Amino acid sequence: MLAYYFHLGLRSLRRNPALTTLMVMAVGFGVAASMITYSVFRAVSGNPIPDKSAQLFIPQIDGWGPQQNQKGEPAEALTYNDAMALLRAHEAKRQTMLYPVQLAVLPDGKRDLPLNASGYAVGSDFFAMFEVPFRYGGGWSLQDDDARAADVVISGELNQKLFGGANSVGRTIDLGGHDYRVVGVASHWNPRPRFYDLFSTSGFADEPDFYLPFARALDLHMYTGGRNSCRGELSFTNWTDYTQSNCVWITPWVELDTPAEVASYRSFLTHYAAEQQRAGRFNWAPNVRLRDVAQWLDHERVVPPESRISLAVALGFFLICLVNTIGLLLAKFLRRSGEIGVRRALGATRREIYTQYLIEAGTVGLAGGVLGLLLTALGVGGVGVLFPPQIAKLAQLDASLVGLTLAVAIVATVLAAFYPAWRAAHVQPAWQLKSS
Amino acid sequence: MNLPIRPILVALRRHKAGTVLIALQIALTLAIVCNALFIIHARLANLSEASGVDEPNVFVIKNQWAAERPTAQVDAQVQADLLALRQLPAVRDAAPASGYPLQGGGWDNLVTLTPDQTHPITDSAVYTSDEHFIDTLGARLVAGRNFRPDEVMVMGTQQSITPPTVIVTRALADKLFPGGHALGKSFYAMGTTPSTIVGIVDPLHRQGVSQWNKAYAGQALIWPLRADDARGIFYIVRAKPGQLAAAMREAPKALYAQSRMRIIDPKDGVQDYAAIRHKVYDSDRGMAILMGIICAVLLAITAAGIVGLTSFWVGQRRKQIGVRRALGARQRDILAYFLTENFLISAAGVLLGVVLAVAFNLWTVTRFELDRMSLAYVGVGVLVLLLLGQGATFAPALRASRVSPVEATRSV
Amino acid sequence: MLKMTHLSKVYRTEVVETYALRDFNIDVKEGEFVAVTGPSGSGKTTFLTIAGLLETFTGGEYHLDGIEVSNLNDNARSKIRNEKIGFIFQAFNLIPDLNVFDNVEVPLRYRGMKAPERKQRIMDALERVGLASRYKHYPAELSGGQQQRVAIARALAGSPRLLLADEPTGNLDTQMARGVLELLEEIHRDGATIVMVTHDPELAARAQRNVHIIDGQVVDLSVDPRFHAAHHAASEAHG
């Protein structure tokens, strides 16, 4: 019976090609617009570390006070002093401080020009906390942190450039005039958005080239290669003055597994701020935050307004296409009132009429979905015209998007067909015999 | 003409579904189109923002140093580099900089009139350069004077130094001293000592173009500082007219001839302003194109939908049209009937659409801090949709008017 | 009032020409009540649609109320239909979307009449057919006889000089048909010219004069008591 309905549907669609084309185009364009913008939205709004996002927290301490802070919110990063204090207290199971650094990879025998490299100064826990995958070797140890070891973890890409992709663990590279021992080579790892550094990046930068010990970077007086935000009068001219200033530039992360640990860490932060107040460093009541990854992404407004607005517009667009489809299906179905009356007179039940028309609508949806898929593929390919390249390249047509496109097209069209089909099913068998 | 509005309304009550669907479609289309037009207009306005730079002839070199050196050595290298650049035959002038208009680099400082003022007056972009900066950019000095060579100070890595003289943009000058007599006045920009305004340029865009600093996009100050950061520096170069390509080819070679311990990225280490503008306004242009496509397709689909549904109605009412013709309706009465019918439905849709359009705009205002939409966009949208409705109805209505009165005598 | 001379109507398709009317002559005087009879397919409906200016004709002349109509444009024809002719169709042809009042109003609207006068005329016409109390009902809520009376009211409201009726009782039972017929006779007594197409001899007998059409031609213009005989003879002659 279903095959029969499908056959009827196809025949009916062929009968008014203009109307059918119009509906298929409406569904196709609507679903494509939604899917293209959704693919971008999905890319930028996804959870970058789904299995741990609820255990990773970023502490914030207000070192600027109510006069200078960000409308009551503490700064988005820590000063050197506060970062060192949290590091020393070691109140979390795992913790890391981090900031971006820019260094040149100096020439060796094979290259005569230095190479630009950007990376992060991080603690040893960084790799375990953020689940960095390794191709060779691994991170460094807590002891290496304390020893300010000249260790480095490099990205697969840098390893390819410097060592042709071979296992380089144990080899030495010269970064900015200092030698570092390669202890690990990371597999491709670039979570998007880059939740761990939203202070210096918009969240969609290229994969970092290296990671070196935080303590080592401080020892070498490496200034941040990222953002630096200060308040009040500035007069520093050297490293020591700078680290004692109110400038914030270090991003802290802690891993807390249970609600109890979270509560305990929160009270630790409050205590710390209260202590600073007592010591006279802060002239205000403790103002601290402890946000997990999701809260942090939200606070930092990582999803670009463009993608949200265009998603909303695209959904509105799709809605209009569906309203359009309802109207056209209504026209199409009721134009055949005569045929329906005859079918009903010949013994078709309402349910059968219903099924027949829903399947016909499903056929339109399928055709619209296929058109939508083609347009989506085109659109995702051409999305670079519409969005900044670092975001555009996130949009991909994968199996789930293909499935979703077809499913949305068919389901939406069938839903749109409910009312027209209901009207069709309520055509009276006798109607045809009465003259109007 | 005697338009039978009441009977049309009565008849529409008997075709609720179709009427509601067309009105709804028009309402939603209006809401989307108004906002899309507004976004397009705002984005296109961004695209044409003035940078204050002689864009056809200026390019920027991002120069990174390979290894850390003391500030004095960096300064010597920077001076040598600048000399080499300025001597190139295709180059008119060159200047060192910590940032450049439109794109990144550099930083902002909060500005106050007294050192102990807790609430800053405003935010200002900070440019650091030497006496060649204004000529190199091609910026216009509208009051006062340029820096003298002896005023230019050296600033090492992450040092906070406040020179006693400053050149500001007119936008900043007007913000700080609304009376218009900024020249010779002093202010504080997060330093312990004040800077005195010796010159005013107009216009000069800040380093970024993001939405959050749009309110003070034209506010910038220039300090006479050679930013000898151990990590790197921007060189801004102005080519002689028509010699941009040659200058862009020669400049990196000249720098590498000075020293090879630097990194000039082969991909985007040297960019002219066309490329910079293209890159920074990427998302604006993309948004405008996307909204444009959506508007066009949307209007087409809505028009097609109206044609489709009206055609259906005409088909359904052939007999009735025949009867009307038999009872004395002229062709143009029939045409007017369908056009009026569409106008009434469109008017209802447009009314709802105006509410939806404003609601959508308010949502973007509260959610994304976009601007309020001017009602002119709504007006244009209303006009466009009413015309669209009439246009889309015209063909089926014309077909309806050609229905022969003899239809009245035919059985169904 | 209505005079056709040597009138012909040809339907052309790509392959054949069919004469619906040929050398058709008829003269209906002002105030006459004429019944037009004939077997189905004889051309009586074509005659009516041409008489009512619903269709154009191919050759010959047609004078309506002294005006030669063949050269009139569509607007002029619409105006004549609206002001001089009233139609009563077999299938009533009320507009289902409009209630009784609005249906009767339709021709008056096209005449550009002011609202108070329209209302007066509508209510007068409905009064006359005995349906004034039902003016808010929709056609679907009325019986066939009532619907036809609304259609008559619609025809009357414009005070036409000529009333064209196409099988006005064809869709009605005997009792309802009788009522409708009485109404027509009453309208005729008030001075209107009526041309009624019917295949019902009993109905035709109530008219002043019968016109018989066979194969697109008028075969007998007199009131003939041997109508049936003539009819049979004609049928045999053409059978």
Side-chain angles (χ1 to χ4, degrees):
Chain A
M1 206 61 192
L2 286 185
Y4 173 61
Y5 291 143
F6 188 70
H7 173 73
L8 284 180
L10 279 183
R11 226 180 41 196
S12 138
L13 294 178
R14 271 204 304 270
R15 207 158 40 209
N16 322 58
L19 210 56
T20 306
T21 311
L22 194 53
M23 285 192 289
V24 169
M25 298 248 292
V27 173
F29 274 108
V31 79
S34 305
M35 285 301 133
I36 293 166
T37 48
Y38 171 72
S39 72
V40 174
F41 183 76
R42 179 183 65 167
V44 297
S45 66
N47 187 338
I49 181 160
D51 48 332
K52 283 190 85 174
S53 63
Q55 277 116 276
L56 296 172
F57 291 83
I58 179 163
Q60 289 171 269
I61 298 164
D62 186 4
W64 288 345
Q67 301 273 13
Q68 295 180 315
N69 67 17
Q70 303 179 315
K71 294 175 185 158
E73 280 290 321
E76 299 147 283
L78 293 184
T79 61
Y80 175 86
N81 281 327
D82 291 329
M84 295 320 280
L86 294 199
L87 208 50
R88 273 193 302 272
H90 214 297
E91 285 286 322
K93 188 183 77 178
R94 282 172 177 158
Q95 62 178 19
T96 182
M97 297 294 149
L98 60 88
Y99 68 95
V101 287
Q102 293 277 342
L103 289 173
V105 186
L106 292 192
D108 55 21
K110 280 176 292 178
R111 288 168 300 112
D112 66 334
L113 279 179
L115 210 79
N116 179 37
S118 55
Y120 282 92
V122 303
S124 57
D125 284 345
F126 177 87
F127 305 98
M129 283 172 77
F130 298 144
E131 301 180 327
V132 181
F134 281 91
R135 186 172 303 156
Y136 306 117
W140 55 84
S141 67
L142 206 56
Q143 288 73 33
D144 288 342
D145 274 343
D146 295 339
R148 291 148 164 70
D151 291 337
V152 69
V153 168
I154 61 174
S155 71
E157 203 181 321
L158 188 61
N159 189 52
Q160 187 67 38
K161 272 189 211 159
L162 300 181
F163 301 107
N167 185 348
S168 58
V169 171
R171 306 274 294 268
T172 300
I173 59 173
D174 186 340
L175 289 171
H178 298 275
D179 278 346
Y180 291 82
R181 194 174 60 96
V182 176
V183 296
V185 176
S187 301
H188 176 73
W189 182 71
N190 194 22
R192 293 172 191 256
R194 184 176 294 170
F195 64 97
Y196 63 84
D197 182 20
L198 295 176
F199 180 65
S200 289
T201 74
S202 66
F204 303 98
D206 288 336
E207 186 182 356
D209 297 309
F210 62 85
Y211 310 89
L212 53 79
F214 180 74
R216 172 85 188 163
L218 295 184
D219 259 13
L220 291 175
H221 295 184
M222 270 182 209
Y223 288 102
T224 175
R227 208 172 128 207
N228 168 60
S229 185
C230 319
R231 287 295 184 272
E233 287 175 8
L234 312 176
S235 57
F236 43 82
T237 55
N238 59 44
W239 174 261
T240 314
D241 290 352
Y242 175 62
T243 55
Q244 296 310 306
S245 73
N246 67 11
C247 298
V248 300
W249 50 286
I250 300 172
T251 300
W253 282 94
V254 295
E255 184 173 332
L256 305 166
D257 289 340
T258 64
E261 282 179 37
V262 176
S264 142
Y265 199 89
R266 192 167 272 134
S267 73
F268 155 71
L269 283 178
T270 312
H271 266 113
Y272 170 76
E275 218 170 83
Q276 299 301 310
Q277 187 186 8
R278 270 196 300 282
R281 195 174 143 233
F282 294 171
N283 283 322
W284 46 87
N287 182 21
V288 299
R289 301 284 184 280
L290 190 61
R291 293 185 160 99
D292 67 13
V293 173
Q295 290 163 336
W296 184 238
L297 291 175
D298 189 47
H299 180 68
E300 292 288 294
R301 302 196 174 183
V302 162
V303 179
E306 278 86 12
S307 62
R308 259 189 223 280
I309 294 175
S310 43
L311 183 66
V313 167
L315 286 178
F317 179 72
F318 191 34
L319 187 66
I320 293 170
C321 292
L322 285 183
V323 170
N324 192 56
T325 306
I326 296 178
L328 296 178
L329 284 174
L330 192 65
K332 194 164 164 46
F333 290 175
L334 290 188
R335 186 174 276 183
R336 302 203 320 257
S337 294
E339 179 196 320
I340 300 168
V342 171
R343 280 184 189 280
R344 294 276 282 132
L346 292 177
T349 61
R350 276 203 178 133
R351 197 194 170 80
E352 279 163 333
I353 300 285
Y354 225 123
T355 318
Q356 179 191 334
Y357 284 96
L358 288 184
I359 286 178
E360 182 172 333
T363 318
V364 171
L366 183 66
V370 171
L371 175 68
L373 203 57
L374 289 177
L375 292 172
T376 305
L378 267 179
V380 168
V383 82
V385 184
L386 308 180
F387 291 93
Q390 72 266 28
I391 287 183
K393 66 184 171 199
L394 299 181
Q396 279 160 354
L397 187 67
D398 53 17
S400 75
L401 194 64
V402 169
L404 193 65
T405 306
L406 290 177
V408 164
I410 295 172
V411 169
T413 315
V414 170
L415 282 181
F418 262 103
Y419 177 70
W422 181 82
R423 284 283 299 268
H426 279 74
V427 168
Q428 293 299 324
W431 191 85
Q432 195 38 23
L433 309 172
K434 222 162 71 174
S435 67
S436 59
Chain B
M1 204 184 303
N2 184 16
L3 288 177
I5 288 176
R6 197 188 55 83
I8 291 179
L9 287 177
V10 170
L12 281 179
R13 275 224 305 268
R14 315 270 292 180
H15 297 271
K16 282 198 197 79
T19 307
V20 167
L21 287 172
I22 291 188
L24 197 61
Q25 188 167 354
I26 286 179
L28 289 167
T29 305
L30 178 68
I32 300 283
V33 166
C34 287
N35 281 281
L37 281 180
F38 172 61
I39 291 172
I40 290 174
H41 194 254
R43 299 298 170 129
L44 290 183
N46 286 355
L47 289 185
S48 55
E49 262 177 340
S51 61
V53 177
D54 173 25
E55 295 188 22
N57 298 312
V58 175
F59 64 98
V60 178
I61 302 170
K62 184 181 180 192
N63 178 87
Q64 288 169 271
W65 303 121
E68 289 231 5
R69 283 170 298 179
T71 303
Q73 280 182 32
V74 177
D75 191 54
Q77 182 70 63
V78 167
Q79 300 227 43
D81 284 353
L82 285 167
L83 204 62
L85 288 172
R86 286 167 191 156
Q87 279 169 351
L88 288 174
V91 168
R92 166 172 164 165
D93 209 346
S98 51
Y100 51 93
L102 300 186
Q103 214 177 16
W107 59 91
D108 280 13
N109 277 4
L110 297 167
V111 179
T112 58
L113 289 181
T114 57
D116 48 0
Q117 195 176 336
T118 46
H119 284 287
I121 295 173
T122 187
D123 220 16
S124 171
V126 176
Y127 290 116
T128 64
S129 189
D130 62 11
E131 75 279 8
H132 292 269
F133 189 61
I134 291 175
D135 178 59
T136 301
L137 288 177
R140 215 156 46 93
L141 190 69
V142 294
R145 61 167 178 86
N146 192 2
F147 297 126
R148 290 189 304 267
D150 61 287
E151 285 172 333
V152 178
M153 301 161 73
V154 167
M155 180 172 72
T157 312
Q158 208 83 38
Q159 285 184 336
S160 180
I161 294 173
T162 308
T165 55
V166 67
I167 292 175
V168 299
T169 61
R170 178 178 276 164
L172 181 61
D174 289 348
K175 180 86 181 178
L176 295 177
F177 307 102
H181 307 288
L183 218 52
K185 302 257 172 57
S186 305
F187 63 88
Y188 291 81
M190 302 180 83
T192 46
T193 54
S195 300
T196 304
I197 299 173
V198 297
I200 297 175
V201 291
D202 187 49
L204 189 60
H205 199 281
R206 55 168 290 115
Q207 312 100 330
V209 294
S210 42
Q211 197 65 37
W212 62 266
N213 53 36
K214 203 157 173 39
Y216 37 89
Q219 294 177 191
L221 65 84
I222 307 160
W223 266 330
L225 287 171
R226 224 172 9 255
D228 297 320
D229 191 300
R231 290 165 298 180
I233 191 167
F234 293 111
Y235 291 129
I236 303 174
V237 185
R238 186 179 186 187
K240 289 178 181 154
Q243 302 191 44
L244 182 75
M248 285 177 74
R249 256 192 327 272
E250 292 167 11
K253 285 186 203 152
L255 293 178
Y256 276 119
Q258 287 294 311
S259 156
R260 301 187 68 78
M261 285 302 278
R262 70 176 85 234
I263 304 166
I264 299 170
D265 194 300
K267 203 164 74 232
D268 56 1
V270 184
Q271 289 186 98
D272 60 18
Y273 255 89
I276 291 169
R277 203 168 251 286
H278 193 273
K279 201 182 276 179
V280 299
Y281 289 118
D282 233 3
S283 70
D284 287 318
R285 200 176 35 251
M287 201 63 169
I289 294 174
L290 181 70
M291 292 296 152
I293 294 174
I294 283 192
C295 269
V297 176
L298 199 48
L299 290 175
I301 282 188
T302 299
I306 294 175
V307 171
L309 221 49
T310 313
S311 299
F312 164 66
W313 273 346
V314 169
Q316 214 185 23
R317 292 191 240 170
R318 279 183 78 80
K319 172 107 178 176
Q320 167 178 157
I321 296 164
V323 172
R324 284 180 184 277
R325 292 279 282 134
L327 295 177
R330 290 160 300 179
Q331 293 199 346
R332 71 169 119 117
D333 291 322
I334 301 298
L335 192 64
Y337 182 94
F338 282 97
L339 289 178
T340 310
E341 183 180 76
N342 170 270
F343 182 81
L344 293 174
I345 299 174
S346 301
V350 157
L351 278 182
L352 177 63
V354 168
V355 176
L356 289 179
V358 171
F360 186 85
N361 176 244
L362 288 182
W363 176 70
T364 61
V365 168
T366 51
R367 194 65 217 263
F368 307 112
E369 290 153 26
L370 297 190
D371 294 332
R372 277 278 176 82
M373 173 169 59
S374 137
L375 284 181
Y377 293 95
V378 182
V380 169
V382 165
L383 207 65
V384 165
L385 276 162
L386 290 181
L387 287 177
L388 184 85
Q390 295 288 292
T393 311
F394 196 77
L398 203 61
R399 232 175 308 128
S401 76
R402 299 210 173 118
V403 168
S404 162
V406 83
E407 289 281 336
T409 62
R410 298 213 173 117
S411 50
V412 193
Chain C
M1 182 74 215
L2 182 159
K3 186 172 187 215
M4 293 177 177
T5 39
H6 308 300
L7 190 134
S8 63
K9 173 72 183 175
V10 184
Y11 290 106
R12 284 196 180 85
T13 65
E14 275 176 33
V15 277
V16 286
E17 284 191 353
T18 319
Y19 274 87
L21 297 176
R22 80 167 80 206
D23 195 18
F24 189 90
N25 298 290
I26 191 171
D27 189 357
V28 178
K29 300 276 181 280
E30 175 110 42
E32 262 194 303
F33 185 170
V34 177
V36 178
T37 56
S40 69
S42 60
K44 48 185 199 305
T45 300
T46 303
F47 156 68
L48 202 69
T49 56
I50 290 172
L53 304 189
L54 299 180
E55 247 184 327
T56 54
F57 48 92
T58 318
E61 284 181 14
Y62 172 24
H63 288 85
L64 180 65
D65 201 17
I67 303 164
E68 159 56 7
V69 298
S70 55
N71 293 322
L72 296 178
N73 67 15
D74 190 84
N75 281 351
R77 293 162 66 86
S78 299
K79 194 168 153 67
I80 292 178
R81 281 200 299 271
N82 184 253
E83 293 178 356
K84 298 197 171 168
I85 306 174
F87 287 97
I88 300 167
F89 302 96
Q90 175 177 9
F92 325 139
N93 282 352
L94 298 177
I95 294 174
D97 300 339
L98 300 178
N99 65 21
V100 166
F101 184 95
D102 290 334
N103 261 293
V104 178
E105 190 186 35
V106 170
L108 304 182
R109 279 274 182 181
Y110 294 123
R111 202 176 286 192
M113 209 175 263
K114 292 268 181 296
E117 191 190 347
R118 279 205 310 260
K119 192 173 175 195
Q120 186 62 48
R121 280 183 176 239
I122 295 164
M123 293 317 287
D124 285 351
L126 285 173
E127 202 74 62
R128 198 157 167 200
V129 300
L131 284 172
S133 60
R134 304 278 177 105
Y135 75 97
K136 275 192 170 167
H137 286 58
Y138 281 88
E141 299 162 357
L142 302 175
S143 72
Q146 287 171 325
Q147 288 191 45
Q148 191 60 299
R149 272 149 62 198
V150 174
I152 293 171
R154 181 172 65 183
L156 289 181
S159 324
R161 307 259 308 282
L162 174 63
L163 206 58
L164 298 176
D166 182 9
E167 304 279 9
T169 60
N171 281 356
L172 302 176
D173 62 35
T174 325
Q175 193 172 346
M176 284 178 174
R178 194 167 301 137
V180 166
L181 199 62
E182 278 162 12
L183 199 54
L184 287 180
E185 285 171 336
E186 192 186 318
I187 295 164
H188 174 236
R189 276 198 297 279
D190 290 349
T193 310
I194 298 182
V195 176
M196 174 174 74
V197 163
T198 181
H199 64 271
D200 181 353
E202 197 185 326
L203 210 59
R206 306 273 290 261
Q208 287 177 318
R209 178 154 77 97
N210 272 13
V211 171
H212 197 64
I213 301 178
I214 289 175
D215 275 355
Q217 281 186 306
V218 175
V219 293
D220 192 355
L221 285 176
S222 64
V223 182
D224 189 344
R226 288 161 297 155
F227 172 75
H228 295 289
H231 182 115
H232 285 298
S235 298
E236 277 160 19
H238 289 85

